[in-house]
Amino acid sequence: MSSAVSSSRRTHLVSNCGSLGSQNPEIPSASLGNPKMDPHEAEEIEVLSVSWNQDYRAFAVGTSRGFRIYGSRPLKQTLRRDLESGGFGIVEMLFRCNILALVGGSGNSQYPPTKVLIWDDHQGRCIGEFIFRSYVRGVRLRQDRIVVVLEHRIYIYDFNDLKLLHQIETLANPKGLCCLSHHSSTSVLACPGLHQGQVRVEHFGLKVTKFINAHDSHISCISLTLDGLLLATASVKGTLVRIFNTMDGTRLQEVRRGADRAEIYSIALSPNVQWLAISSDKGTVHIFNLRVRVVGEDAPTLPSGQGPALLHQNSATSLDALISPNTGANPSSSLSFMRGVLPKYFSSEWSFAQFRVPEVTRYFVAFGSENTVMIVGMNGSFYRLSFDPVLGGQMTQQEYVLFLRSETHQAGPANHP
């Protein structure tokens, strides 16, 4: 593929850029090696990033010396690439296939944080490269799209020919907030809008743009369901998480993490759209029961060829159709009948289940199978927890692993590092 340069979009696109970790394209990926680690070596490695893949079956870890991929069911290292030139600040997976998006960390002398590599580990080479004039804040992948997030702009490329399809201007976005749907029947992107507290939702298949005024403060975390029809948001205050219908922007539910300010690290929506999990700097992982109902077995049959969709709403009274009573209910204040008089603090729904982790690092949460939750920390820790789907309460620790050291402990909640 020929190179292309466009000063208007400030992007330089190159393909066939050679083997990762070497300027020599003839050197295979195996040359990066998977050396046995000295017991003290893990203590020297710094974790630069952690990201779950789209179905929570694997997670990627960018380190100061390269990157690693782990399967989560069971926990197992499946890929490791080490570099002498430095590490990667962003490692994005496309489910569990051989394609990765890589962005160098600030200390990487060969791959700067202004460059995105599309890496095919099966071929052992880079199949695409994007170079920008400012730092890349995030990358998202789906089977047909590559999304690159800069601080004030988002670029969407076609995965097949790497051509630029769309550009989106955003408010300052240093966290690289952006999420995608992953069902073949929907093509949805959510990102910060141009105003404080606003989320922009692009339904590319429908050619519809929706702006949702989610919070009064700046957005700090967002998450979409796999079909892109539900959006969960948190602001920099970190007290409330709100769930919206992305088709019409209707707020469907509001849950409360706590009363004091907090930084939300991650939001996860379970694949069955029954649970929501959040992690924050307060050292508590919260699970909430979603009362939002998507079209399922008890709903009208969809026309042939249509994918999952939310029940269409035409009025505020019809919102009841989107709210379903679940077996486990989030606690709420006994004074909630006075919602018109009391502050929102008394009417928000509180978490259904909880778990404490040390307040020493950032943790990123995901859902496993059979009412389990997984947590990965930037300190190289992994937790597997279970919760009672009826009674809720304190979650039970099933597994604790320091995955950089491969030291596994199967014990109770007291066995923290």
Side-chain angles (χ1 to χ4, degrees):
M1 185 181 298
S2 60
S3 300
V5 179
S6 172
S7 58
S8 62
R9 68 177 190 247
R10 299 184 178 183
T11 304
H12 179 207
L13 174 62
V14 185
S15 66
N16 300 325
C17 58
S19 176
L20 178 63
S22 173
Q23 296 294 342
N24 186 346
E26 301 300 321
I27 297 179
S29 62
S31 65
L32 294 175
N34 293 289
K36 293 183 179 180
M37 182 176 293
D38 182 271
H40 301 291
E41 185 181 352
E43 299 178 2
E44 300 174 1
I45 292 179
E46 179 185 0
V47 175
L48 302 182
S49 68
V50 169
S51 63
W52 286 97
N53 80 336
Q54 291 81 3
D55 60 7
Y56 302 143
R57 291 183 176 272
F59 62 92
V61 179
T63 76
S64 54
R65 296 190 182 183
F67 68 89
R68 304 179 188 191
I69 305 297
Y70 294 85
S72 63
R73 308 176 190 177
L75 181 66
K76 181 181 179 181
Q77 180 177 289
T78 60
L79 177 64
R80 175 180 169 185
R81 298 289 179 243
D82 295 303
L83 298 177
E84 294 182 359
S85 59
F88 291 98
I90 296 174
V91 183
E92 184 74 12
M93 303 177 66
L94 180 58
F95 288 92
R96 299 194 70 181
C97 76
N98 54 297
I99 303 297
L100 300 167
L102 306 172
V103 179
S106 58
N108 193 323
S109 60
Q110 188 171 350
Y111 303 106
T114 56
K115 178 188 293 187
V116 179
L117 305 177
I118 306 301
W119 173 253
D120 185 334
D121 201 76
H122 179 71
Q123 298 184 50
R125 68 185 181 93
C126 178
I127 59 174
E129 179 177 302
F130 303 87
I131 302 175
F132 300 86
R133 295 184 181 177
S134 59
Y135 281 14
V136 175
R137 302 298 186 180
V139 183
R140 302 291 181 268
L141 302 177
R142 55 175 277 155
Q143 287 89 339
D144 57 350
R145 297 290 183 267
I146 299 170
V147 177
V148 180
V149 185
L150 307 184
E151 186 153 350
H152 293 278
R153 192 172 296 272
I154 294 175
Y155 297 93
I156 299 100
Y157 300 91
D158 187 289
F159 214 131
N160 294 319
D161 56 17
L162 305 184
K163 289 184 178 179
L164 181 66
L165 299 175
H166 306 281
Q167 297 184 48
I168 297 174
E169 186 178 354
T170 69
L171 199 64
N173 185 16
K175 289 186 175 182
L177 301 180
C178 182
C179 44
L180 298 173
S181 66
H182 293 281
H183 279 189
S184 59
S185 58
T186 58
S187 182
V188 184
L189 177 149
C191 65
L194 287 172
H195 302 287
Q196 179 174 299
Q198 184 184 74
V199 177
R200 175 173 180 158
V201 179
E202 292 286 344
H203 291 270
F204 291 114
L206 302 175
K207 297 182 179 179
V208 170
T209 301
K210 184 67 183 178
F211 292 94
I212 299 174
N213 295 318
H215 300 271
D216 295 330
S217 305
H218 287 286
I219 302 296
S220 68
C221 200
I222 58 176
S223 182
L224 282 173
T225 50
L226 285 174
D227 59 16
L229 300 178
L230 290 179
L231 168 72
T233 68
S235 76
V236 292
K237 290 182 178 179
T239 54
L240 299 172
V241 176
R242 290 169 174 160
I243 298 92
F244 297 89
N245 174 350
T246 64
M247 294 297 294
D248 61 13
T250 304
R251 187 201 300 181
L252 304 176
Q253 191 175 351
E254 178 179 280
V255 298
R256 178 173 289 277
R257 180 211 55 80
D260 53 338
R261 193 182 186 96
E263 180 182 358
I264 302 297
Y265 292 147
S266 67
I267 299 176
L269 293 156
S270 66
N272 64 3
V273 199
Q274 185 178 359
W275 308 103
L276 179 147
I278 64 170
S279 59
S280 73
D281 63 353
K282 295 302 180 182
T284 304
V285 172
H286 295 273
I287 306 295
F288 299 89
N289 194 305
L290 289 176
R291 296 185 295 105
V292 178
R293 183 162 61 104
V294 294
V295 165
E297 295 177 356
D298 60 342
T301 303
L302 288 172
S304 177
Q306 289 191 16
L310 287 173
L311 296 176
H312 182 66
Q313 303 302 315
N314 294 313
S315 67
T317 56
S318 65
L319 280 176
D320 291 339
L322 276 171
I323 308 300
S324 63
N326 286 318
T327 304
N330 301 317
S332 58
S333 171
S334 61
L335 301 176
S336 59
F337 66 94
M338 298 180 64
R339 287 182 182 182
V341 179
L342 295 173
K344 290 183 180 180
Y345 177 89
F346 292 97
S347 59
S348 302
E349 299 173 43
W350 295 79
S351 60
F352 174 76
Q354 312 82 29
F355 184 78
R356 292 287 305 180
V357 290
E359 298 177 33
V360 297
T361 191
R362 291 175 175 266
Y363 294 95
F364 300 89
V365 65
F367 283 95
S369 58
E370 299 179 356
N371 304 315
T372 60
V373 174
M374 300 170 291
I375 309 169
V376 178
M378 292 282 286
N379 61 349
S381 60
F382 174 90
Y383 297 84
R384 194 185 312 275
L385 317 169
S386 62
F387 63 93
D388 188 315
V390 177
L391 300 177
Q394 179 70 15
M395 288 186 272
T396 301
Q397 179 176 301
Q398 295 181 335
E399 185 178 8
Y400 167 65
V401 179
L402 294 175
F403 55 80
L404 291 182
R405 302 180 188 178
S406 298
E407 295 176 2
T408 304
H409 306 272
Q410 308 249 347
N415 288 321
H416 292 310

